[in-house]
Every structure is written in structure tokens, then in C-alpha cells.
Amino acid sequence: MARFLGPIRLIPVHRLEPVSGDRGPRNPLRLSGRTFASGPSSPPSTSRESSPSDTPSHSDAATSSASSASSASSASSTSTSSDPTSKAPADWEENPDLSISAFSQLPHSGFGVNQHMIINKEFKEALRQILWQFRAPIRYAFAYGSGVFPQSAGSTLSGSSPATPAAPHGRGKMIDMMFGVSYTQHWHSLNLQQHRDHYSLIGSLGSGFVSRVQDRWGAGVYFNPYVMVNGTLIKYGVVNLDTLCQDLSGWESLYLAGRLQKPVKILRDDPRVRLANQINLISALRTALLLLPAHFDEHQLYSTIASISYLGDPRMSLPTENPHKVANIVDNQMTNFRQLYAPLIENLPNVDFDDPQCSKPQWGNDPNAVAALAQDMDPVKRGNMVRRLPKHFREKLYFRYQSKFQIPQLEFNKMMDESVDEDGTRINRRQGGRFEQRIATDNEHLKQEMVGVIKKTINWPSTTQSLKGVLTAGVGRTWRYLGDKVEKGRQGRVQDRQAEQAREAQTNADPEKAKGADGSKDEAKSPSPSP
């Protein structure tokens, strides 16, 4: 398989899926100006809580690592052999230590910097100032959605930074934010004292009741929408760090994991979450590869990944969402998706970039570039991918195939006992066996079965979380939220019609030119195989 990666040089990273006869270690992908796996840097020794500090934050350091290509390149050339942290332990994914409390305990100093997106500096600082308006301790925070990253061509600025919303202060777009906290009831107790107006009538029942509503109903998130903080209209969700890490690493509900499978702006980082989210990202990549054919392109890959969190979401069946939402997200965030997933692609042994344009110096920063990829359809390697899917998701897939293959219960129980990740005395290496290989080679039904598992995982938590929102937000805010969503969906459909009319007009005016301009792009951005 041909590989065209141009001038790439970064620290070696261990294979995520060792296979006999492999080609040997490859360098993490660096795409001219964006460094997807940074070279060694001095790791901080402690994690940050929530008090202001004059020293750069861990998210600042990670973002700098992701954007400073020249410094990362020189660091990798001088420090790789001498810095023991420059190589990730081979078992970081198979035996993740989600009890870590410091960034120095991550597998290596540049681990997970691909998660840090670059946005407008002033807008980033405005978002961070919002966090300082909460006295309750926020351990992890990120901003996401169309208020942070553009989902239409008209709002995209030139360069690699996403567009700043038209009015980050005042009555502009509502900014979606998520806060990870250590102790749910304690956090709400402090926040109710400071920001009682953020809560609906449920707040009058006290922090104990609020925390029970958060942790026991839905996906474990408590949202307060339409809140004005520091002059900015926001909606913020509160989630316990344990709940967040469990969903990221095991896909219990995919409610939180799905959001972090797409580009977000991390405002305050936490080492546990960074490790768990890297597992989430590689899991999303493996899931997409199992749904895709041998040859595909970046647009198909990222669309498949972005669609995972929307399968089974009841909101997508209502007129409150743009039916082309996934395509809009991917079309306007190609470079950010590339930053998230290119280093993981480069370190999987069964998939490669396979496109001559990758040898061009600036192709990685080109939002219009759509590189071709190819994956190895060898049953052993694909069986390994099945075996390494997140635990809760994998178990549901196994049960579906037990019924499909009509495997006797005793035989199936024996296979499940052999496939456990740990047995109390050791961590078992996650290699696929005959059962996993049989699943992976079920080309006729694998996609259907995996989509069924995704829907089953998402549907109930997402439905109950939406119903819970009526209580936590209150009737007034809920009605306003639904109205805004309906209007957003209507605007999306209007934009789609206008774009279609423009294409038809161009085709009628100059059919040959339109064919030449659109043909290759439409072929490159063919519809994702994801449902």
C-alpha cells in the first residue's frame, strides 16, 4: 500500500495494535503547521483545580504543542532518545490507569495534545473568563457546538482557527459548555449559593435533590441553559468526572463520549479525562473502520465518526435538527477532525493515508483537501479491532451475534469468560479470536448490527436526558430552547435549498464547468456509509 506523508518527523509512538509481520514503528503524523503528536516537553507535576493562576495552564501547553511545528520537530530530533517519557507504554490503552492525578503520570509528555483545538485567542480568553465566575471548583471544562465551531461556510474565517461567533458578548449565539466536577452535591451546594438564578424550581429543593436528579436520571448531566455569565449567553452542563471517564472509556451511554468524538475547545484540562478521551477517540476510529470499505476518504471517515452520537438520538427525528447537520459539521471542520484523528490513523497498523496530495507541504492545513485512505481487510486485524471496542459496547455486540450465529449459551459463556479484560490477577491482552474474526468478516450484516448496538446504547440515556431537561431547565427555558432549535433547523433547510438552487443555476449556465468543478468534489465527499 502506497504511503505519501511528505516531510514528517516526530517522536516514535508504540503501535496500538501489534500484528506479526508489521512494518515496524511509524512516526506520528505531522501535517505542515499542525503537529498532531507533539515532541517531548516538560510535563507539569500537579493537576490544576480551579483557582486563577498566572502560570500557563495545561490546556495552553497542549495547544502550543499542537501548533508549534518547528519547535516540536526540533525537540523530537534532539530528545527522543534521551527522554524516557517520549515513548508511550505499550499497555496505555489495554491497561489505562484512570486514577492518575497529574499530567506527569500520562504515558508521555505530549500525550493527547491532538485533543486541543486552536481557536481565536481573544474568544478563547473570553470563554476562560466565564469559568472564573464560578466559585465552585471546575476540574475539567470544554466548549462545543456551533457557537464555538462554525457549521456553515459563511461563518468560517481564513486560517486554521475556527470562527469567533458574531457576538460572543451580549445576545449572540448561546455557547454550550460542559463542566467536569469531583463532588456533585458539594459543587451544586456552592453554585446554588452563588448562582441560584441559574436553576429552575428544582434548585429550591436543595443540592442533595439536584445531585440525585443529575446522577440518577438520564446520562448523568445537569444542564442550566440560557444563563448570562460575564456578558455571554451560555448553556452549561455539570457532570461528575467519574461518570465522564466511564463513558469515555467504556461507552456506557455515548452521550458524553459522542460529544468529545468531535472537535471541542478544552478550556481546563484534567489528566484522567485526557487519557480516557484518547481511548474514546481510538474507539471511535475503530468503529468507523469496521463500518467502512477497504478504500475511502477523510470526509467519509469523519462523517462516519461524527454520526455515531446522533444515531438513536430522538431529537434527530424531530424538526428541531438540520438533517444535514453531520455533513455541515465535517465540511467546515476538516482540519480540526484531521488534528483529532490523523495521529491515531498513523499509529494503527491496518490503515494508511494513500493519496499523493499528502506529500504537499501545506496539505494538512487545507480545509478543502480530502485525502484518500485504505485499510487492510485482513480478518485477524479486523478481529482485533472488534476485540478492542469499548467494553459495554462490545458486550452488546457479542450478544447480538450470539443470537445471530445461534451459539449455545454454555459455549458463549465460556467465550465471554475467556474474553474478559482482567481476571483479578492480570490484564489480558485484547487479541481477537475466531468469534471476533467471524464478526469482522460478516460483511453483509456487520454494519447493521453495529448500528443497532449504537442506537441501543444511545436511545434510552438520550431520551431520559431530554425529558429531564424539562425539569432542570424549567418550562419557560425549555420552550425557548425548543423554539430556537426549530428555528435553527428551519434555517438549515433554507440554506440547503438555496445551495441546491445555486448548484442548479450554475449547472444550467455552464454545464461543463459545473461538472468539472463539482464532479471531483462530490466524488471525494461522497455520502458517508454511516446511516
Side-chain angles (χ1 to χ4, degrees):
M1 190 184 301
R3 301 175 69 244
F4 302 89
L5 295 177
I8 300 169
R9 194 173 195 285
L10 280 180
I11 60 173
V13 178
H14 284 305
R15 289 275 188 196
L16 296 175
E17 296 189 35
V19 178
S20 59
D22 218 352
R23 292 186 300 270
R26 286 183 291 181
N27 288 333
L29 181 63
R30 176 186 163 204
L31 304 175
S32 286
R34 281 181 180 270
T35 304
F36 294 119
S38 94
S41 61
S42 300
S45 58
T46 59
S47 61
R48 182 182 178 192
E49 182 68 56
S50 66
S51 57
S53 173
D54 295 330
T55 59
S57 68
H58 295 297
S59 57
D60 280 335
T63 304
S64 298
S65 296
S67 60
S68 303
S70 59
S71 61
S73 178
S74 61
S76 64
S77 62
T78 58
S79 305
T80 300
S81 60
S82 59
D83 187 351
T85 67
S86 66
K87 292 186 178 182
D91 65 344
W92 73 262
E93 185 191 5
E94 297 187 10
N95 185 23
D97 182 7
L98 296 178
S99 65
I100 62 175
S101 58
F103 286 90
S104 59
Q105 296 173 289
L106 288 169
H108 62 81
S109 59
F111 183 86
V113 298
N114 56 307
Q115 301 172 23
H116 285 264
M117 301 296 111
I118 304 166
I119 67 171
N120 178 279
K121 193 172 288 188
E122 293 181 0
F123 181 41
K124 178 183 70 174
E125 187 57 34
L127 293 176
R128 285 187 172 167
Q129 288 301 318
I130 292 173
L131 302 183
W132 304 130
Q133 308 307 310
F134 292 84
R135 290 198 294 266
I138 301 170
R139 292 291 301 272
Y140 181 82
F142 65 88
Y144 63 99
S146 60
V148 182
F149 296 98
Q151 294 182 12
S152 62
S155 60
T156 303
L157 296 177
S158 60
S160 60
S161 299
T164 303
H169 293 276
R171 292 192 63 81
K173 274 190 173 182
M174 183 168 67
I175 306 298
D176 295 322
M177 307 182 79
M178 190 72 68
F179 301 159
V181 305
S182 298
Y183 304 101
T184 306
Q185 182 172 348
H186 176 65
W187 196 92
H188 285 294
S189 176
L190 296 175
N191 200 47
L192 280 165
Q193 294 176 27
Q194 183 186 9
H195 298 299
R196 174 62 186 87
D197 58 314
H198 291 187
Y199 293 79
S200 66
L201 288 176
I202 287 182
S204 61
L205 300 178
S207 60
F209 186 79
V210 169
S211 63
R212 284 195 295 274
V213 169
Q214 174 182 322
D215 294 331
R216 297 181 185 181
W217 297 357
V221 185
Y222 192 102
F223 282 107
N224 284 325
Y226 295 103
V227 172
M228 192 68 71
V229 178
N230 209 35
T232 302
L233 188 67
I234 69 169
K235 177 185 77 175
Y236 67 91
V238 183
V239 62
N240 188 279
L241 282 179
D242 291 336
T243 301
L244 176 59
C245 289
Q246 287 167 9
D247 195 40
L248 290 174
S249 60
W251 285 14
E252 291 189 351
S253 71
L254 269 171
Y255 188 86
L256 298 158
R259 279 163 170 73
L260 284 161
Q261 288 164 5
K262 297 179 281 291
V264 304
K265 179 54 191 175
I266 298 172
L267 303 171
R268 187 169 293 164
D269 208 351
D270 178 86
R272 278 202 304 158
V273 181
R274 190 189 291 190
L275 175 59
N277 193 33
Q278 203 73 344
I279 296 172
N280 174 44
L281 295 176
I282 193 67
S283 299
L285 178 58
R286 289 194 179 109
T287 299
L289 291 175
L290 288 168
L291 293 170
L292 288 166
H295 298 276
F296 53 95
D297 60 41
E298 282 186 295
H299 193 273
Q300 290 174 298
L301 174 64
Y302 304 146
S303 296
T304 303
I305 292 172
S307 68
I308 290 174
S309 63
Y310 295 116
L311 290 170
D313 189 335
R315 296 173 299 178
M316 296 304 294
S317 62
L318 301 174
T320 57
E321 293 289 354
N322 186 341
H324 302 289
K325 183 171 185 175
V326 171
N328 291 341
I329 291 173
V330 176
D331 287 346
N332 294 283
Q333 296 188 57
M334 282 293 291
T335 54
N336 287 330
F337 273 99
R338 194 173 289 142
Q339 175 174 322
L340 266 182
Y341 290 103
L344 304 178
I345 293 169
E346 269 299 285
N347 288 283
L348 283 178
N350 56 323
V351 60
D352 275 317
F353 285 95
D354 190 29
D355 197 315
Q357 70 175 311
C358 297
S359 62
K360 297 179 181 178
Q362 296 294 328
W363 86 272
N365 289 331
D366 183 0
N368 296 314
V370 182
L373 296 97
Q375 65 170 320
D376 190 342
M377 304 300 283
D378 175 66
V380 174
K381 294 180 181 180
R382 290 179 71 78
N384 285 343
M385 288 202 298
V386 171
R387 179 67 183 86
R388 297 178 185 196
L389 292 172
K391 178 181 178 182
H392 297 283
F393 183 85
R394 185 181 72 238
E395 289 175 349
K396 294 172 186 174
L397 183 65
Y398 283 177
F399 280 118
R400 290 179 76 96
Y401 269 98
Q402 178 201 13
S403 175
K404 181 177 178 56
F405 293 155
Q406 297 182 344
I407 300 174
Q409 189 64 45
L410 290 177
E411 182 181 347
F412 181 76
N413 291 342
K414 182 179 179 181
M415 286 193 305
M416 292 301 96
D417 290 340
E418 293 173 351
S419 68
V420 295
D421 295 337
E422 51 188 284
D423 58 12
T425 59
R426 62 189 176 89
I427 301 296
N428 297 321
R429 191 158 186 79
R430 295 192 286 170
Q431 298 287 349
R434 285 182 296 177
F435 180 53
E436 287 82 6
Q437 292 170 24
R438 190 178 175 188
I439 293 174
T441 54
D442 181 24
N443 298 325
E444 186 176 352
H445 301 106
L446 178 59
K447 176 181 173 181
Q448 176 184 345
E449 296 297 333
M450 290 193 68
V451 167
V453 174
I454 293 171
K455 288 182 176 180
K456 183 177 180 180
T457 301
I458 294 174
N459 186 268
W460 179 247
S462 182
T463 300
T464 53
Q465 182 69 43
S466 297
L467 295 174
K468 183 173 77 173
V470 178
L471 296 175
T472 59
V475 176
R477 289 175 178 174
T478 299
W479 188 254
R480 179 181 176 185
Y481 180 76
L482 288 175
D484 286 351
K485 296 292 284 185
V486 169
E487 176 62 19
K488 185 185 292 186
R490 187 193 66 81
Q491 291 177 359
R493 286 186 288 272
V494 169
Q495 291 173 0
D496 289 338
R497 285 196 296 269
Q498 292 174 343
E500 182 63 28
Q501 292 170 357
R503 284 193 294 268
E504 290 177 358
Q506 184 180 10
T507 302
N508 295 332
D510 193 344
E512 291 299 323
K513 183 177 180 181
K515 182 178 179 181
D518 295 341
S520 59
K521 184 177 180 180
D522 289 343
E523 182 179 353
K525 295 187 177 183
S526 55
S528 165
S530 62

